[in-house]
Amino acid sequence: EAINFIKSKIQNPKSKIKPVAFLASGDPLFFGIGRRMVNEFGEDKVAIFPDLSCIQIAFSKIKEPWDNALLMSIHGGPDPSKRRELKYDIKDIPLLLERHNKVAILTDKVNNPLVIAKEFLKSSSFIPHPSSVKIFVCEKLGYPDEKIIEGTPEDISGMSFSEPNVVIIKKIPQP
């Protein structure tokens, strides 16, 4: 709806509105609206001024380097009937962790930390074993009630979390 409104204003010769500002938090080109804006309006008509992404902030909060992490989104959008097709599914996360040792995930209300943790508990055929996994849930980053919760998949599977949140999963080396 926002894209169509903007198009109607800038493409209508009778409209007095020509330059339009569209604000989005974080880095709009990191799984955000920026890609869509460039595709809809063209590179020459869009200026992007990114801020820190929530993934950058989450890794800084847990004091963990992130240059070796797999970054992914399982955030399908707010309207279930219009959800975009995701590259990975929740069931893929245990195997992705086995391959990458560290995974950062943009979540949503459907694909949330609880569901991610439960996937590790039912994926016992996958290595790593749930006991060798540490999950960090970074809730409401940048808000006054920001919270970082750390635990095993079993710990996390028994909790509830505030939105928005980012999940970082790390494979713990076993002795």
Side-chain angles (χ1 to χ4, degrees), residues 55-66 102 136 138 146 148 150 168 170:
I55 296 286
Q56 287 173 293
I57 295 168
F59 274 107
S60 73
K61 295 291 180 177
I62 67 167
K63 297 170 182 57
E64 181 74 33
W66 62 290
K102 199 182 303 177
F136 300 87
C138 304
E146 167 181 293
I148 311 296
E150 174 183 336
I168 298 172
K170 185 177 169 186

Side-chain angles (χ1 to χ4, degrees), residues 46-60:
V46 175
I48 297 174
F49 304 97
D51 198 358
L52 295 172
S53 73
C54 55
I55 296 286
Q56 287 173 293
I57 295 168
F59 274 107
S60 73

